[in-house]
Amino acid sequence: MGAMSGPYVVRGSVLLPEAELMWRFSRSSGPGGQHVNTSDSQVELRFDLARTEALPPVWKERALRRLAGRLVDGVVSVRASEHRSQWRNREAAAVRLAALLAEATAPPPRPRRPTRIPRGINERRLREKKQRSETKRGRSGRDWS
């Protein structure tokens, strides 16, 4: 195959810098026959989030806060071993890392503006509840004798 299908876009014009990605390969478990015992197809991709200059400072801080549980010394790592070829696992790991960073750097959602329920709707709901309870009360066979 040709060159990797990078650069990997985090969001907008921000890319994952190829130079800051640290790759590690190891033997993968799973299908593959005899060949699997000799090939290092599992991929571990590490990215130093704490020291990178590729992300805008605001994004970086947001990502560090949101991914705090996943970080080891400021480094985030992603594993891929679902494919038999190292190449496709590299692709999968890079795409996963880009998606993870995109989610972690996304701006917080707009705060919800509380709205009032119109009085008519509330009254209708209560009327229907009362009707329903009447229907159910009528079902109890207490005074049938």
Side-chain angles (χ1 to χ4, degrees), residues 92-126:
V95 167
R96 213 173 285 164
L97 179 66
L100 183 71
L101 288 175
E103 196 180 316
T105 57
R110 271 215 182 100
R112 180 187 173 280
R113 249 187 42 226
T115 53
R116 284 198 53 213
I117 298 171
R119 204 169 95 210
I121 289 178
N122 213 16
E123 284 174 357
R124 190 180 74 198
R125 181 181 66 87
L126 293 173

PDB file of all heavy atoms in Angstrom, residues 92-126:
ATOM      1  N   ALA A  92      -6.545   2.356  12.160  1.00  0.00           N
ATOM      2  CA  ALA A  92      -7.607   2.330  13.172  1.00  0.00           C
ATOM      3  C   ALA A  92      -7.186   3.098  14.421  1.00  0.00           C
ATOM      4  O   ALA A  92      -7.973   3.865  14.982  1.00  0.00           O
ATOM      5  CB  ALA A  92      -7.953   0.885  13.528  1.00  0.00           C
ATOM      6  N   ALA A  93      -5.940   2.901  14.850  1.00  0.00           N
ATOM      7  CA  ALA A  93      -5.460   3.575  16.066  1.00  0.00           C
ATOM      8  C   ALA A  93      -5.416   5.087  15.871  1.00  0.00           C
ATOM      9  O   ALA A  93      -5.830   5.849  16.745  1.00  0.00           O
ATOM     10  CB  ALA A  93      -4.079   3.043  16.443  1.00  0.00           C
ATOM     11  N   ALA A  94      -4.919   5.516  14.711  1.00  0.00           N
ATOM     12  CA  ALA A  94      -4.808   6.956  14.453  1.00  0.00           C
ATOM     13  C   ALA A  94      -6.192   7.602  14.376  1.00  0.00           C
ATOM     14  O   ALA A  94      -6.416   8.690  14.929  1.00  0.00           O
ATOM     15  CB  ALA A  94      -4.031   7.194  13.168  1.00  0.00           C
ATOM     16  N   VAL A  95      -7.119   6.929  13.710  1.00  0.00           N
ATOM     17  CA  VAL A  95      -8.482   7.463  13.597  1.00  0.00           C
ATOM     18  C   VAL A  95      -9.122   7.541  14.984  1.00  0.00           C
ATOM     19  O   VAL A  95      -9.776   8.530  15.329  1.00  0.00           O
ATOM     20  CB  VAL A  95      -9.327   6.584  12.645  1.00  0.00           C
ATOM     21  CG1 VAL A  95     -10.804   6.912  12.761  1.00  0.00           C
ATOM     22  CG2 VAL A  95      -8.850   6.749  11.222  1.00  0.00           C
ATOM     23  N   ARG A  96      -8.887   6.496  15.798  1.00  0.00           N
ATOM     24  CA  ARG A  96      -9.455   6.465  17.149  1.00  0.00           C
ATOM     25  C   ARG A  96      -8.890   7.599  18.004  1.00  0.00           C
ATOM     26  O   ARG A  96      -9.620   8.232  18.767  1.00  0.00           O
ATOM     27  CB  ARG A  96      -9.124   5.121  17.787  1.00  0.00           C
ATOM     28  CG  ARG A  96     -10.191   4.646  18.718  1.00  0.00           C
ATOM     29  CD  ARG A  96      -9.921   3.254  19.209  1.00  0.00           C
ATOM     30  NE  ARG A  96     -10.190   2.258  18.175  1.00  0.00           N
ATOM     31  CZ  ARG A  96      -9.761   1.009  18.230  1.00  0.00           C
ATOM     32  NH1 ARG A  96      -9.044   0.601  19.250  1.00  0.00           N
ATOM     33  NH2 ARG A  96     -10.048   0.161  17.273  1.00  0.00           N
ATOM     34  N   LEU A  97      -7.582   7.832  17.890  1.00  0.00           N
ATOM     35  CA  LEU A  97      -6.957   8.909  18.668  1.00  0.00           C
ATOM     36  C   LEU A  97      -7.519  10.261  18.240  1.00  0.00           C
ATOM     37  O   LEU A  97      -7.839  11.107  19.082  1.00  0.00           O
ATOM     38  CB  LEU A  97      -5.432   8.887  18.489  1.00  0.00           C
ATOM     39  CG  LEU A  97      -4.680   9.974  19.243  1.00  0.00           C
ATOM     40  CD1 LEU A  97      -4.807   9.789  20.756  1.00  0.00           C
ATOM     41  CD2 LEU A  97      -3.210   9.976  18.869  1.00  0.00           C
ATOM     42  N   ALA A  98      -7.633  10.475  16.929  1.00  0.00           N
ATOM     43  CA  ALA A  98      -8.173  11.742  16.428  1.00  0.00           C
ATOM     44  C   ALA A  98      -9.599  11.951  16.940  1.00  0.00           C
ATOM     45  O   ALA A  98      -9.960  13.049  17.369  1.00  0.00           O
ATOM     46  CB  ALA A  98      -8.144  11.762  14.903  1.00  0.00           C
ATOM     47  N   ALA A  99     -10.397  10.871  16.932  1.00  0.00           N
ATOM     48  CA  ALA A  99     -11.783  10.982  17.402  1.00  0.00           C
ATOM     49  C   ALA A  99     -11.831  11.279  18.895  1.00  0.00           C
ATOM     50  O   ALA A  99     -12.644  12.093  19.361  1.00  0.00           O
ATOM     51  CB  ALA A  99     -12.537   9.691  17.101  1.00  0.00           C
ATOM     52  N   LEU A 100     -10.937  10.626  19.644  1.00  0.00           N
ATOM     53  CA  LEU A 100     -10.875  10.830  21.096  1.00  0.00           C
ATOM     54  C   LEU A 100     -10.536  12.292  21.408  1.00  0.00           C
ATOM     55  O   LEU A 100     -11.167  12.929  22.252  1.00  0.00           O
ATOM     56  CB  LEU A 100      -9.813   9.903  21.692  1.00  0.00           C
ATOM     57  CG  LEU A 100      -9.657   9.924  23.203  1.00  0.00           C
ATOM     58  CD1 LEU A 100     -10.853   9.279  23.881  1.00  0.00           C
ATOM     59  CD2 LEU A 100      -8.391   9.205  23.608  1.00  0.00           C
ATOM     60  N   LEU A 101      -9.537  12.818  20.698  1.00  0.00           N
ATOM     61  CA  LEU A 101      -9.134  14.207  20.925  1.00  0.00           C
ATOM     62  C   LEU A 101     -10.216  15.181  20.462  1.00  0.00           C
ATOM     63  O   LEU A 101     -10.431  16.220  21.086  1.00  0.00           O
ATOM     64  CB  LEU A 101      -7.809  14.503  20.210  1.00  0.00           C
ATOM     65  CG  LEU A 101      -6.584  13.839  20.848  1.00  0.00           C
ATOM     66  CD1 LEU A 101      -5.346  14.079  20.008  1.00  0.00           C
ATOM     67  CD2 LEU A 101      -6.348  14.345  22.260  1.00  0.00           C
ATOM     68  N   ALA A 102     -10.904  14.841  19.375  1.00  0.00           N
ATOM     69  CA  ALA A 102     -11.980  15.710  18.891  1.00  0.00           C
ATOM     70  C   ALA A 102     -13.073  15.829  19.943  1.00  0.00           C
ATOM     71  O   ALA A 102     -13.579  16.919  20.219  1.00  0.00           O
ATOM     72  CB  ALA A 102     -12.559  15.157  17.593  1.00  0.00           C
ATOM     73  N   GLU A 103     -13.400  14.684  20.551  1.00  0.00           N
ATOM     74  CA  GLU A 103     -14.445  14.686  21.573  1.00  0.00           C
ATOM     75  C   GLU A 103     -13.987  15.421  22.824  1.00  0.00           C
ATOM     76  O   GLU A 103     -14.735  16.168  23.443  1.00  0.00           O
ATOM     77  CB  GLU A 103     -14.791  13.237  21.922  1.00  0.00           C
ATOM     78  CG  GLU A 103     -16.104  13.101  22.661  1.00  0.00           C
ATOM     79  CD  GLU A 103     -16.426  11.654  22.992  1.00  0.00           C
ATOM     80  OE1 GLU A 103     -16.250  10.797  22.116  1.00  0.00           O
ATOM     81  OE2 GLU A 103     -16.842  11.420  24.142  1.00  0.00           O
ATOM     82  N   ALA A 104     -12.721  15.223  23.190  1.00  0.00           N
ATOM     83  CA  ALA A 104     -12.201  15.825  24.427  1.00  0.00           C
ATOM     84  C   ALA A 104     -11.996  17.330  24.296  1.00  0.00           C
ATOM     85  O   ALA A 104     -12.007  18.039  25.291  1.00  0.00           O
ATOM     86  CB  ALA A 104     -10.888  15.162  24.806  1.00  0.00           C
ATOM     87  N   THR A 105     -11.800  17.827  23.064  1.00  0.00           N
ATOM     88  CA  THR A 105     -11.546  19.263  22.896  1.00  0.00           C
ATOM     89  C   THR A 105     -12.801  20.018  22.485  1.00  0.00           C
ATOM     90  O   THR A 105     -12.761  21.230  22.319  1.00  0.00           O
ATOM     91  CB  THR A 105     -10.460  19.503  21.824  1.00  0.00           C
ATOM     92  OG1 THR A 105     -10.887  18.899  20.596  1.00  0.00           O
ATOM     93  CG2 THR A 105      -9.130  18.936  22.237  1.00  0.00           C
ATOM     94  N   ALA A 106     -13.906  19.311  22.316  1.00  0.00           N
ATOM     95  CA  ALA A 106     -15.148  19.972  21.898  1.00  0.00           C
ATOM     96  C   ALA A 106     -15.593  20.973  22.963  1.00  0.00           C
ATOM     97  O   ALA A 106     -15.402  20.743  24.154  1.00  0.00           O
ATOM     98  CB  ALA A 106     -16.235  18.930  21.681  1.00  0.00           C
ATOM     99  N   PRO A 107     -16.160  22.083  22.524  1.00  0.00           N
ATOM    100  CA  PRO A 107     -16.623  23.068  23.503  1.00  0.00           C
ATOM    101  C   PRO A 107     -17.773  22.492  24.323  1.00  0.00           C
ATOM    102  O   PRO A 107     -18.514  21.648  23.829  1.00  0.00           O
ATOM    103  CB  PRO A 107     -17.113  24.242  22.639  1.00  0.00           C
ATOM    104  CG  PRO A 107     -17.324  23.678  21.288  1.00  0.00           C
ATOM    105  CD  PRO A 107     -16.403  22.507  21.149  1.00  0.00           C
ATOM    106  N   PRO A 108     -17.905  22.945  25.562  1.00  0.00           N
ATOM    107  CA  PRO A 108     -18.998  22.420  26.397  1.00  0.00           C
ATOM    108  C   PRO A 108     -20.342  22.792  25.783  1.00  0.00           C
ATOM    109  O   PRO A 108     -20.450  23.826  25.114  1.00  0.00           O
ATOM    110  CB  PRO A 108     -18.799  23.117  27.746  1.00  0.00           C
ATOM    111  CG  PRO A 108     -17.929  24.284  27.465  1.00  0.00           C
ATOM    112  CD  PRO A 108     -17.119  23.965  26.250  1.00  0.00           C
ATOM    113  N   PRO A 109     -21.373  21.970  25.990  1.00  0.00           N
ATOM    114  CA  PRO A 109     -22.678  22.278  25.395  1.00  0.00           C
ATOM    115  C   PRO A 109     -23.271  23.540  26.008  1.00  0.00           C
ATOM    116  O   PRO A 109     -22.940  23.907  27.134  1.00  0.00           O
ATOM    117  CB  PRO A 109     -23.522  21.054  25.743  1.00  0.00           C
ATOM    118  CG  PRO A 109     -22.845  20.441  26.918  1.00  0.00           C
ATOM    119  CD  PRO A 109     -21.385  20.757  26.779  1.00  0.00           C
ATOM    120  N   ARG A 110     -24.122  24.199  25.242  1.00  0.00           N
ATOM    121  CA  ARG A 110     -24.781  25.402  25.743  1.00  0.00           C
ATOM    122  C   ARG A 110     -25.625  25.046  26.955  1.00  0.00           C
ATOM    123  O   ARG A 110     -26.275  23.995  26.969  1.00  0.00           O
ATOM    124  CB  ARG A 110     -25.729  25.929  24.662  1.00  0.00           C
ATOM    125  CG  ARG A 110     -25.082  26.899  23.703  1.00  0.00           C
ATOM    126  CD  ARG A 110     -26.134  27.946  23.332  1.00  0.00           C
ATOM    127  NE  ARG A 110     -25.587  28.882  22.365  1.00  0.00           N
ATOM    128  CZ  ARG A 110     -25.826  28.810  21.063  1.00  0.00           C
ATOM    129  NH1 ARG A 110     -26.573  27.830  20.578  1.00  0.00           N
ATOM    130  NH2 ARG A 110     -25.336  29.703  20.246  1.00  0.00           N
ATOM    131  N   PRO A 111     -25.627  25.897  27.973  1.00  0.00           N
ATOM    132  CA  PRO A 111     -26.474  25.592  29.130  1.00  0.00           C
ATOM    133  C   PRO A 111     -27.954  25.621  28.715  1.00  0.00           C
ATOM    134  O   PRO A 111     -28.346  26.442  27.888  1.00  0.00           O
ATOM    135  CB  PRO A 111     -26.154  26.705  30.121  1.00  0.00           C
ATOM    136  CG  PRO A 111     -25.522  27.788  29.321  1.00  0.00           C
ATOM    137  CD  PRO A 111     -24.892  27.143  28.133  1.00  0.00           C
ATOM    138  N   ARG A 112     -28.738  24.734  29.294  1.00  0.00           N
ATOM    139  CA  ARG A 112     -30.147  24.651  28.937  1.00  0.00           C
ATOM    140  C   ARG A 112     -30.909  25.799  29.575  1.00  0.00           C
ATOM    141  O   ARG A 112     -30.744  26.088  30.761  1.00  0.00           O
ATOM    142  CB  ARG A 112     -30.697  23.316  29.439  1.00  0.00           C
ATOM    143  CG  ARG A 112     -32.158  23.106  29.119  1.00  0.00           C
ATOM    144  CD  ARG A 112     -32.669  21.831  29.791  1.00  0.00           C
ATOM    145  NE  ARG A 112     -34.094  21.709  29.635  1.00  0.00           N
ATOM    146  CZ  ARG A 112     -35.004  22.337  30.356  1.00  0.00           C
ATOM    147  NH1 ARG A 112     -34.609  23.164  31.312  1.00  0.00           N
ATOM    148  NH2 ARG A 112     -36.289  22.157  30.150  1.00  0.00           N
ATOM    149  N   ARG A 113     -31.732  26.456  28.754  1.00  0.00           N
ATOM    150  CA  ARG A 113     -32.564  27.528  29.302  1.00  0.00           C
ATOM    151  C   ARG A 113     -33.877  26.923  29.755  1.00  0.00           C
ATOM    152  O   ARG A 113     -34.619  26.378  28.931  1.00  0.00           O
ATOM    153  CB  ARG A 113     -32.818  28.587  28.225  1.00  0.00           C
ATOM    154  CG  ARG A 113     -32.098  29.868  28.554  1.00  0.00           C
ATOM    155  CD  ARG A 113     -32.405  31.021  27.643  1.00  0.00           C
ATOM    156  NE  ARG A 113     -33.797  31.171  27.275  1.00  0.00           N
ATOM    157  CZ  ARG A 113     -34.205  31.387  26.028  1.00  0.00           C
ATOM    158  NH1 ARG A 113     -33.336  31.435  25.048  1.00  0.00           N
ATOM    159  NH2 ARG A 113     -35.490  31.543  25.754  1.00  0.00           N
ATOM    160  N   PRO A 114     -34.169  26.983  31.041  1.00  0.00           N
ATOM    161  CA  PRO A 114     -35.409  26.352  31.507  1.00  0.00           C
ATOM    162  C   PRO A 114     -36.624  27.073  30.925  1.00  0.00           C
ATOM    163  O   PRO A 114     -36.648  28.307  30.857  1.00  0.00           O
ATOM    164  CB  PRO A 114     -35.346  26.505  33.022  1.00  0.00           C
ATOM    165  CG  PRO A 114     -34.336  27.541  33.287  1.00  0.00           C
ATOM    166  CD  PRO A 114     -33.436  27.630  32.095  1.00  0.00           C
ATOM    167  N   THR A 115     -37.596  26.299  30.478  1.00  0.00           N
ATOM    168  CA  THR A 115     -38.816  26.893  29.923  1.00  0.00           C
ATOM    169  C   THR A 115     -39.979  26.495  30.808  1.00  0.00           C
ATOM    170  O   THR A 115     -39.935  25.471  31.489  1.00  0.00           O
ATOM    171  CB  THR A 115     -39.080  26.359  28.505  1.00  0.00           C
ATOM    172  OG1 THR A 115     -39.066  24.936  28.558  1.00  0.00           O
ATOM    173  CG2 THR A 115     -38.026  26.831  27.538  1.00  0.00           C
ATOM    174  N   ARG A 116     -41.034  27.306  30.781  1.00  0.00           N
ATOM    175  CA  ARG A 116     -42.202  26.996  31.613  1.00  0.00           C
ATOM    176  C   ARG A 116     -43.198  26.195  30.795  1.00  0.00           C
ATOM    177  O   ARG A 116     -43.386  26.433  29.613  1.00  0.00           O
ATOM    178  CB  ARG A 116     -42.854  28.290  32.095  1.00  0.00           C
ATOM    179  CG  ARG A 116     -42.047  28.921  33.235  1.00  0.00           C
ATOM    180  CD  ARG A 116     -42.858  29.933  33.999  1.00  0.00           C
ATOM    181  NE  ARG A 116     -44.131  29.380  34.449  1.00  0.00           N
ATOM    182  CZ  ARG A 116     -45.240  30.107  34.546  1.00  0.00           C
ATOM    183  NH1 ARG A 116     -45.227  31.380  34.222  1.00  0.00           N
ATOM    184  NH2 ARG A 116     -46.356  29.561  34.976  1.00  0.00           N
ATOM    185  N   ILE A 117     -43.857  25.262  31.467  1.00  0.00           N
ATOM    186  CA  ILE A 117     -44.889  24.483  30.795  1.00  0.00           C
ATOM    187  C   ILE A 117     -46.148  25.338  30.764  1.00  0.00           C
ATOM    188  O   ILE A 117     -46.563  25.868  31.804  1.00  0.00           O
ATOM    189  CB  ILE A 117     -45.158  23.165  31.561  1.00  0.00           C
ATOM    190  CG1 ILE A 117     -43.895  22.321  31.580  1.00  0.00           C
ATOM    191  CG2 ILE A 117     -46.308  22.392  30.939  1.00  0.00           C
ATOM    192  CD1 ILE A 117     -43.984  21.126  32.482  1.00  0.00           C
ATOM    193  N   PRO A 118     -46.764  25.509  29.592  1.00  0.00           N
ATOM    194  CA  PRO A 118     -47.987  26.322  29.531  1.00  0.00           C
ATOM    195  C   PRO A 118     -49.076  25.756  30.446  1.00  0.00           C
ATOM    196  O   PRO A 118     -49.187  24.539  30.617  1.00  0.00           O
ATOM    197  CB  PRO A 118     -48.419  26.196  28.062  1.00  0.00           C
ATOM    198  CG  PRO A 118     -47.188  25.816  27.324  1.00  0.00           C
ATOM    199  CD  PRO A 118     -46.336  25.045  28.277  1.00  0.00           C
ATOM    200  N   ARG A 119     -49.847  26.680  31.034  1.00  0.00           N
ATOM    201  CA  ARG A 119     -50.829  26.263  32.029  1.00  0.00           C
ATOM    202  C   ARG A 119     -51.846  25.301  31.438  1.00  0.00           C
ATOM    203  O   ARG A 119     -52.250  24.320  32.070  1.00  0.00           O
ATOM    204  CB  ARG A 119     -51.523  27.480  32.629  1.00  0.00           C
ATOM    205  CG  ARG A 119     -52.071  27.170  34.013  1.00  0.00           C
ATOM    206  CD  ARG A 119     -52.534  28.399  34.741  1.00  0.00           C
ATOM    207  NE  ARG A 119     -53.969  28.572  34.533  1.00  0.00           N
ATOM    208  CZ  ARG A 119     -54.578  29.752  34.513  1.00  0.00           C
ATOM    209  NH1 ARG A 119     -53.870  30.842  34.671  1.00  0.00           N
ATOM    210  NH2 ARG A 119     -55.864  29.829  34.320  1.00  0.00           N
ATOM    211  N   GLY A 120     -52.264  25.562  30.212  1.00  0.00           N
ATOM    212  CA  GLY A 120     -53.273  24.730  29.554  1.00  0.00           C
ATOM    213  C   GLY A 120     -52.826  23.277  29.452  1.00  0.00           C
ATOM    214  O   GLY A 120     -53.603  22.358  29.711  1.00  0.00           O
ATOM    215  N   ILE A 121     -51.565  23.081  29.101  1.00  0.00           N
ATOM    216  CA  ILE A 121     -51.032  21.726  28.947  1.00  0.00           C
ATOM    217  C   ILE A 121     -51.022  21.011  30.293  1.00  0.00           C
ATOM    218  O   ILE A 121     -51.403  19.844  30.397  1.00  0.00           O
ATOM    219  CB  ILE A 121     -49.618  21.767  28.314  1.00  0.00           C
ATOM    220  CG1 ILE A 121     -49.744  22.183  26.849  1.00  0.00           C
ATOM    221  CG2 ILE A 121     -48.914  20.424  28.437  1.00  0.00           C
ATOM    222  CD1 ILE A 121     -48.440  22.304  26.115  1.00  0.00           C
ATOM    223  N   ASN A 122     -50.606  21.732  31.320  1.00  0.00           N
ATOM    224  CA  ASN A 122     -50.553  21.147  32.659  1.00  0.00           C
ATOM    225  C   ASN A 122     -51.947  20.760  33.129  1.00  0.00           C
ATOM    226  O   ASN A 122     -52.159  19.670  33.672  1.00  0.00           O
ATOM    227  CB  ASN A 122     -49.916  22.139  33.625  1.00  0.00           C
ATOM    228  CG  ASN A 122     -49.121  21.444  34.705  1.00  0.00           C
ATOM    229  OD1 ASN A 122     -48.799  20.261  34.589  1.00  0.00           O
ATOM    230  ND2 ASN A 122     -48.842  22.168  35.768  1.00  0.00           N
ATOM    231  N   GLU A 123     -52.921  21.656  32.890  1.00  0.00           N
ATOM    232  CA  GLU A 123     -54.295  21.376  33.311  1.00  0.00           C
ATOM    233  C   GLU A 123     -54.852  20.161  32.575  1.00  0.00           C
ATOM    234  O   GLU A 123     -55.531  19.323  33.161  1.00  0.00           O
ATOM    235  CB  GLU A 123     -55.189  22.596  33.073  1.00  0.00           C
ATOM    236  CG  GLU A 123     -54.966  23.679  34.117  1.00  0.00           C
ATOM    237  CD  GLU A 123     -55.728  24.960  33.816  1.00  0.00           C
ATOM    238  OE1 GLU A 123     -56.392  25.053  32.757  1.00  0.00           O
ATOM    239  OE2 GLU A 123     -55.638  25.882  34.640  1.00  0.00           O
ATOM    240  N   ARG A 124     -54.523  20.060  31.269  1.00  0.00           N
ATOM    241  CA  ARG A 124     -55.007  18.924  30.487  1.00  0.00           C
ATOM    242  C   ARG A 124     -54.421  17.618  31.044  1.00  0.00           C
ATOM    243  O   ARG A 124     -55.124  16.624  31.182  1.00  0.00           O
ATOM    244  CB  ARG A 124     -54.612  19.103  29.013  1.00  0.00           C
ATOM    245  CG  ARG A 124     -55.295  18.088  28.116  1.00  0.00           C
ATOM    246  CD  ARG A 124     -54.899  18.259  26.680  1.00  0.00           C
ATOM    247  NE  ARG A 124     -53.526  17.777  26.480  1.00  0.00           N
ATOM    248  CZ  ARG A 124     -52.763  18.084  25.454  1.00  0.00           C
ATOM    249  NH1 ARG A 124     -53.193  18.912  24.526  1.00  0.00           N
ATOM    250  NH2 ARG A 124     -51.547  17.587  25.340  1.00  0.00           N
ATOM    251  N   ARG A 125     -53.139  17.663  31.389  1.00  0.00           N
ATOM    252  CA  ARG A 125     -52.480  16.477  31.935  1.00  0.00           C
ATOM    253  C   ARG A 125     -53.167  16.043  33.222  1.00  0.00           C
ATOM    254  O   ARG A 125     -53.470  14.861  33.416  1.00  0.00           O
ATOM    255  CB  ARG A 125     -50.996  16.782  32.201  1.00  0.00           C
ATOM    256  CG  ARG A 125     -50.209  15.611  32.757  1.00  0.00           C
ATOM    257  CD  ARG A 125     -48.779  16.006  33.009  1.00  0.00           C
ATOM    258  NE  ARG A 125     -48.643  17.004  34.053  1.00  0.00           N
ATOM    259  CZ  ARG A 125     -48.548  16.746  35.357  1.00  0.00           C
ATOM    260  NH1 ARG A 125     -48.579  15.503  35.781  1.00  0.00           N
ATOM    261  NH2 ARG A 125     -48.415  17.702  36.232  1.00  0.00           N
ATOM    262  N   LEU A 126     -53.451  16.993  34.107  1.00  0.00           N
ATOM    263  CA  LEU A 126     -54.083  16.658  35.376  1.00  0.00           C
ATOM    264  C   LEU A 126     -55.499  16.125  35.164  1.00  0.00           C
ATOM    265  O   LEU A 126     -55.938  15.196  35.836  1.00  0.00           O
ATOM    266  CB  LEU A 126     -54.111  17.889  36.298  1.00  0.00           C
ATOM    267  CG  LEU A 126     -52.729  18.351  36.777  1.00  0.00           C
ATOM    268  CD1 LEU A 126     -52.832  19.660  37.528  1.00  0.00           C
ATOM    269  CD2 LEU A 126     -52.085  17.288  37.645  1.00  0.00           C
TER     270      LEU A 126
END
